[in-house]
Amino acid sequence: MKTKLWTWAGPILGAALFSLAIWVLHRELSAYHFKDIVHHIRSIPSTRIAAALSLTAAGYGVMTTYDLLALRYLKQALAYGKIAMAAFIGAAFSNNIGLSMLAGASVRYRLYTSWGLSAMEITKLVLFCTLTLWLGFFALGGLVFVLDPLPLPTALHLPLASTRTVGLLMGLLVAAYLAAGALMKHPVRLFNWEIDGPSMKSGALQLLVGAADWFLAAGALIALLPPTEQLSLPMLLGMYMVAQLAGLASQVPGGLGVFETVFLLEIGDKMPAEALLGSLLVYRMIYYLLPLVLSAALLGINEIFLHRKSARKVMANYHRWSAPVLPPVLAVTTFIGGAVLLFSGATPALEHRLMWLKEVVPLPLLEASHFAGSCVGMALLLLARGLQRRLDGAYWVTVGLLAAGIAASLFKGLDYEEALLLAVLLVALLPSHRFFYRKTSLLNQRFTPAWMAAIAMVAISALWLGLFSYKHEEYGDRLWWQFAFSGAAPRFLRASAGAAMVLLAYAVARLMRPAVHRPAAATAAEMATVTQVVKNSTSAAANLALLGDKSFIISPENNAFIMFAVEGRSWVSMGDPVGPETAWPELIWQFREMSDRFGGWALFYQVAPDHLPYYLDLGLSLTKLGETARVSLTEFSLEGSSRKELRYTRRKMEKEGLSVEILPAARAAERFSELKRISDAWLAEKNTREKGFSLGNFDAAYLGHFDIAVVKKADTIVAFANLWQSADQAELSIDLMRYDPGAAPNGVMEYLFIQLMIWGREQGYRWFDLGMAPLAGLEDRSLAPLWNRLASFLSRYGEHFYNFQGLRQYKDKFDPVWEPRYLASPGGLALPMILTHLVQLISGGIKGTVLK
């Protein structure tokens, strides 16, 4: 419950602050008209716009050095072209979406992982860049606030009269950081982290780069403001820093509305309000929206010019690189397109264009286009979430609505700029259908609090913009029914009502859906479906679904499922989905969304390398767990010098009177009491307890599904294992392996493996799965990820606790093919807790973890 309240707190606060900012703007601009602001925008000289563009380009160029310094701190080398692209795209998204540098972290993650950086290194890079951003803010802000302090607006009701005290505190923080860099000679340990402090030189560079970034950003706005003798450069810089601080603290995306309101309050009567707001709007377009559009174009072009060896290779690289990134980018740009349509519907069309349309377009078509444009805009805001979730239905509906939006833009006011923007979005979307593969209902998509807050802020902005544009109108019932080419206000009211109806209809449709509950134990009907899917599966590990400790998400066709369990915040899927691969994408996304709904982490345990793109599409990071050993039974033989040891084990066991028999499930059930005695003795001798989830346990209901391989001495069973047999004789494996410590000779389980492989080959099975060797195949190199180096260390020196290397060597006797297995999960700081949850889930809780 606390987690849910926390996820709502930020968006609600942001929406409230945004609404307050809109109210303040409306009050401050009560004496001005919309046309006055438009007139000022048109009157800004081209030289000032060119200066703002130049300063913006220089500012984003400086931002690329954030990542450059961070990579130098991490001792990683990358080409500057790659660094610049990742930094520019990350900065553009951060500035527009909010949350400072962290909002661009996902874009950086996608790019830097494809260039060889680990999740932990990218986490450190993002933190380093965030620190550089704030160092620059404190340095420049502290200097300006101390040398030329600003009186703070009384309307803000702050405890300080000026910014001088704030400036002093900022300066102290900067000095403390630099002093720490000079004095810190050894890494600082924080929990399990080792943090190397930046050197004095590195800290000074961070300071200069961050301050230059903020100075250039402020300069771009100052260049657009009308000149006035009442405001000096230091005063304008100080005002800019205060307004930016308010915008950042509000958590409103890009500080939209909050930044403008605070800046307007600060300048007060020193500059005409309509001129100031016009300059702020142009600044928002130049410094925020233009880089966002360019970054989206860069993601569309991606690495084609970097990989020219062959067209096939280029397309392969394009798909691999762009698959995780392009859908979120198209979602953001579609959201912006919807906002543009709503804002356009709330403002009057240009009079000369409207007069031209009057000659060629009938009034009913113009009215219908205006109404449809706003409805399409609201629908695009909602569909953007579906595009982010890669819905096939959202793709096709968005394509249709963008085409309708283009027509509406032209017929409602000849807004060719708006139509061109929508056309660019449509052209970018058309060739990208393969990225939107999920066949599910649009109504099933969960809207996060942040997403709902963003839609609310756009709707509030559009409504205020319309009310501000037509505040001279006398609103009444008659206004709704006025239809004329000059009736812009009535069109705004009808269009707003249409957009509200779209939003209301969608909300009602979602409320009418059946309620979704936290998953419970599988029902008898679900288990019947799961059992049939397992019988048809070519994966032996699918039999873990019959263990009885998992919940399931089953495909609509009842031919595939995900098996999972919940431990703490971790929602753990056991392996890849089971069933036809065509059903996997939707199941994987359903699992992710279900875990999101309950504030959990979605993770997939022991997934195969062939299927990793599915999990990368979800924004998950990959951690190698080890390697699984699979023996090709078509090539398995006891002949040759390399199999001398296996032949010796077989002869020895047979001389001692041992033999292997396969008991069908019905016959095996008759001897469960004997098998239970062996199992209990084995557990006592190993001083361990039953496990679960990824390992079988002695349960009559579970074992009743399988044939049992037993090792007999005369008619006495001394060892046993249940057989996992897949469909089409693709794979054979065993799960529960137990022997009688007092009666079974050394080597009995190896003998069982040998006999089962021979039997499986004779039955026509193609593979025998020996299971995973944990921590196997992980490289211990200086450039390897931290997890790989730690796991390799445990593999070498943790033999006292677990026979890591011995298990690998034991399985190597059978000359298997080693295949890696991965954990797909959220990375970064969540990983240690996730691994703890996994151990608890398999071991049966904390008690099982401690007591083996």
Side-chain angles (χ1 to χ4, degrees):
M1 179 62 72
K2 288 182 180 179
T3 302
K4 288 186 177 182
L5 290 174
W6 179 253
T7 59
W8 279 95
I12 290 176
L13 177 62
L17 290 173
F18 179 80
S19 301
L20 177 62
I22 290 293
W23 176 78
V24 173
L25 274 177
H26 187 76
R27 189 190 65 183
E28 293 295 319
L29 297 172
S30 59
Y32 303 96
H33 292 286
F34 179 77
K35 62 182 181 180
D36 298 326
I37 298 172
V38 173
H39 174 73
H40 173 75
I41 291 174
R42 291 180 178 174
S43 66
I44 297 176
S46 57
T47 52
R48 282 163 48 196
I49 292 177
L53 286 168
S54 301
L55 289 167
T56 296
Y60 277 87
V62 167
M63 285 185 208
T64 64
T65 58
Y66 282 29
D67 293 52
L68 193 64
L69 290 175
L71 288 167
R72 180 185 295 178
Y73 165 73
L74 294 172
K75 298 179 175 60
Q76 294 287 343
L78 279 179
Y80 178 72
K82 292 180 177 179
I83 297 171
M85 184 169 74
F88 172 71
I89 295 172
F93 275 83
S94 296
N95 287 342
N96 283 275
I97 298 173
L99 298 177
S100 187
M101 295 291 295
L102 295 178
S106 59
V107 176
R108 282 182 167 88
Y109 177 81
R110 294 302 178 201
L111 296 175
Y112 282 126
T113 49
S114 66
W115 298 330
L117 269 67
S118 69
M120 188 62 70
E121 288 169 333
I122 298 169
T123 301
K124 290 181 179 179
L125 180 143
V126 171
L127 291 175
F128 186 95
C129 291
T130 305
L131 184 59
T132 305
L133 176 86
W134 283 103
L135 270 176
F137 184 90
F138 290 161
L140 183 61
L143 183 66
V144 171
F145 293 162
V146 169
L147 296 181
D148 196 353
L150 292 172
L152 294 173
T154 55
L156 296 179
H157 303 292
L158 297 175
L160 301 175
S162 77
T163 59
R164 173 162 283 155
T165 303
V166 177
L168 290 170
L169 290 173
M170 288 180 172
L172 286 174
L173 287 173
V174 172
Y177 181 79
L178 293 176
L183 298 175
M184 190 185 298
K185 303 300 181 184
H186 303 286
V188 175
R189 292 193 63 86
L190 183 63
F191 301 108
N192 293 325
W193 283 48
E194 269 198 4
I195 303 174
D196 292 312
S199 65
M200 185 73 170
K201 180 181 177 182
S202 178
L205 285 173
Q206 284 182 273
L207 197 71
L208 291 173
V209 167
D213 170 27
W214 285 105
F215 182 82
L216 290 168
L221 173 59
I222 293 170
L224 292 167
L225 295 174
T228 175
E229 296 181 356
Q230 299 183 60
L231 295 170
S232 64
L233 178 61
M235 289 179 64
L236 287 170
L237 280 173
M239 292 174 177
Y240 179 87
M241 302 301 278
V242 170
Q244 280 288 5
L245 185 61
L248 290 168
S250 72
Q251 291 300 306
V252 174
L256 182 65
V258 178
F259 168 77
E260 285 82 359
T261 300
V262 173
F263 202 77
L264 187 64
L265 288 173
E266 288 177 317
I267 289 185
D269 57 353
K270 297 181 178 66
M271 187 178 295
E274 76 277 14
L276 176 58
L277 188 59
S279 297
L280 286 168
L281 289 174
V282 175
Y283 176 70
R284 179 70 64 175
M285 287 187 285
I286 290 176
Y287 194 81
Y288 289 87
L289 295 183
L290 181 59
L292 182 64
V293 172
L294 291 176
S295 66
L298 273 178
L299 285 171
I301 297 170
N302 63 74
E303 295 183 326
I304 288 179
F305 293 107
L306 301 178
H307 301 275
R308 301 182 180 181
K309 291 185 178 179
S310 67
R312 181 177 298 178
K313 184 175 180 180
V314 168
M315 292 311 295
N317 284 328
Y318 171 78
H319 186 270
R320 183 177 68 251
W321 184 87
S322 58
V325 179
L326 204 55
V329 171
L330 290 173
V332 171
T333 51
T334 298
F335 189 90
I336 293 172
V340 168
L341 280 171
L342 284 175
F343 295 157
S344 175
T347 54
L350 296 177
E351 194 170 332
H352 65 280
R353 296 184 185 181
L354 203 59
M355 290 301 101
W356 187 88
L357 278 177
K358 187 176 181 180
E359 303 297 325
V360 295
V361 174
L363 179 61
L365 179 57
L366 182 142
E367 295 282 1
S369 298
H370 198 280
F371 183 84
S374 293
C375 292
V376 167
M378 179 57 73
L380 288 178
L381 296 185
L382 298 170
L383 285 166
R385 176 63 171 171
L387 293 180
Q388 185 192 35
R389 292 300 196 182
R390 293 169 171 78
L391 300 191
D392 176 72
Y395 170 85
W396 288 114
V397 175
T398 302
V399 166
L401 289 180
L402 284 174
I406 293 170
S409 298
L410 294 174
F411 288 122
K412 72 183 177 65
L414 203 60
D415 293 326
Y416 59 84
E417 302 94 342
E418 182 181 306
L420 181 61
L421 172 64
L422 298 178
V424 171
L425 292 178
L426 181 59
V427 169
L429 196 62
L430 282 175
S432 305
H433 181 224
R434 64 182 177 277
F435 300 118
F436 303 93
Y437 46 76
R438 297 184 57 204
K439 310 287 185 182
T440 191
S441 171
L442 294 171
L443 298 177
N444 290 332
Q445 300 314 298
R446 175 179 175 269
F447 281 76
T448 63
W451 198 277
M452 287 189 278
I455 293 175
M457 285 188 278
V458 170
I460 292 170
S461 299
L463 182 62
W464 172 78
L465 194 58
L467 293 174
F468 177 73
S469 301
Y470 307 111
K471 60 185 174 182
H472 57 283
E473 295 283 349
E474 292 186 17
Y475 290 95
D477 293 343
R478 60 179 182 81
L479 203 61
W480 290 91
W481 313 111
Q482 289 182 4
F483 298 92
F485 274 93
S486 59
R491 277 196 290 274
F492 152 67
L493 290 177
R494 291 189 289 267
S496 299
M501 285 189 292
V502 170
L503 183 60
L504 180 63
Y506 186 81
V508 169
R510 280 183 57 82
L511 288 173
M512 296 297 290
R513 295 177 307 141
V516 179
H517 301 285
R518 189 178 177 91
T523 64
E526 286 177 330
M527 284 307 303
T529 301
V530 165
T531 302
Q532 187 58 49
V533 175
V534 169
K535 289 180 179 179
N536 296 331
S537 174
T538 58
S539 170
N543 288 284
L544 279 170
L546 308 178
L547 196 53
D549 60 353
K550 300 175 182 68
S551 300
F552 300 93
I553 299 177
I554 301 173
S555 66
E557 298 80 11
N558 289 331
N559 65 344
F561 64 83
I562 277 180
M563 49 178 151
F564 69 98
V566 179
E567 180 69 33
R569 284 190 63 189
S570 296
W571 288 54
V572 189
S573 167
M574 181 58 233
D576 297 303
V578 177
E581 193 168 343
T582 53
W584 289 18
E586 182 54 35
L587 287 172
I588 290 170
W589 273 97
Q590 281 185 338
F591 180 67
R592 167 65 186 272
E593 289 168 351
M594 184 181 291
S595 65
D596 285 350
R597 191 174 294 121
F598 294 101
W601 294 318
L603 47 141
F604 297 79
Y605 180 61
Q606 291 192 24
V607 295
D610 294 343
H611 311 129
L612 299 184
Y614 293 124
Y615 309 111
L616 290 174
D617 278 356
L618 266 65
L620 302 178
S621 58
L622 302 173
T623 305
K624 188 176 181 182
L625 298 171
E627 295 182 335
T628 192
R630 302 181 74 227
V631 178
S632 174
L633 295 182
T634 57
E635 300 174 4
F636 180 75
S637 169
L638 295 182
E639 303 299 324
S641 59
S642 63
R643 302 300 172 92
K644 180 172 62 175
E645 188 176 339
L646 298 181
R647 291 196 301 271
Y648 171 77
T649 299
R650 187 187 188 197
R651 286 196 303 269
K652 178 186 175 184
M653 294 298 107
E654 290 177 347
K655 282 182 181 180
E656 295 189 24
L658 269 62
S659 62
V660 173
E661 181 182 353
I662 309 298
L663 299 180
R667 284 184 55 202
E670 299 171 359
R671 306 191 71 168
F672 270 178
S673 59
E674 190 175 353
L675 300 180
K676 181 71 164 61
R677 179 189 59 80
I678 295 172
S679 177
D680 291 344
W682 183 87
L683 290 171
E685 196 269 341
K686 295 293 183 182
N687 190 27
T688 188
R689 55 183 285 171
E690 296 283 13
K691 303 295 191 255
F693 188 67
S694 64
L695 300 170
N697 51 57
F698 197 98
D699 177 75
Y702 170 62
L703 294 178
H705 291 284
F706 310 109
D707 297 343
I708 305 290
V710 297
V711 181
K712 300 171 66 177
K713 191 170 185 177
D715 194 44
T716 302
I717 298 175
V718 297
F720 71 91
N722 64 308
L723 294 185
W724 283 349
Q725 302 171 69
S726 73
D728 299 330
Q729 296 179 308
E731 193 173 54
L732 177 68
S733 186
I734 61 176
D735 176 32
L736 197 69
M737 300 179 290
R738 304 283 161 89
Y739 62 84
D740 186 343
N746 290 333
V748 66
M749 300 313 295
E750 184 175 325
Y751 172 62
L752 179 59
F753 276 126
I754 295 169
Q755 294 300 94
L756 283 177
M757 289 181 193
I758 294 173
W759 178 82
R761 183 188 63 195
E762 293 171 350
Q763 298 298 314
Y765 284 94
R766 298 190 290 278
W767 292 93
F768 190 96
D769 189 346
L770 285 167
M772 190 176 73
L775 310 185
L778 278 73
E779 296 290 340
D780 183 15
R781 301 187 181 186
S782 60
L783 296 181
L786 177 62
W787 163 253
N788 286 43
R789 286 179 275 152
L790 175 61
S792 181
F793 176 84
L794 288 174
S795 177
R796 289 198 307 272
Y797 302 109
E799 295 295 297
H800 175 73
F801 304 99
Y802 189 92
N803 190 20
F804 294 109
Q805 295 188 6
L807 183 60
R808 169 86 186 217
Q809 292 167 1
Y810 178 84
K811 295 182 179 184
D812 264 335
K813 294 179 182 179
F814 301 94
D815 292 334
V817 175
W818 290 97
E819 294 183 357
R821 290 294 181 265
Y822 296 89
L823 170 67
S825 71
L829 299 177
L831 188 57
M833 183 58 70
I834 285 170
L835 295 175
T836 302
H837 289 161
L838 273 171
V839 173
Q840 292 176 4
L841 184 63
I842 296 168
S843 302
I846 297 176
K847 183 178 179 181
T849 304
V850 175
L851 300 180
K852 295 188 178 181

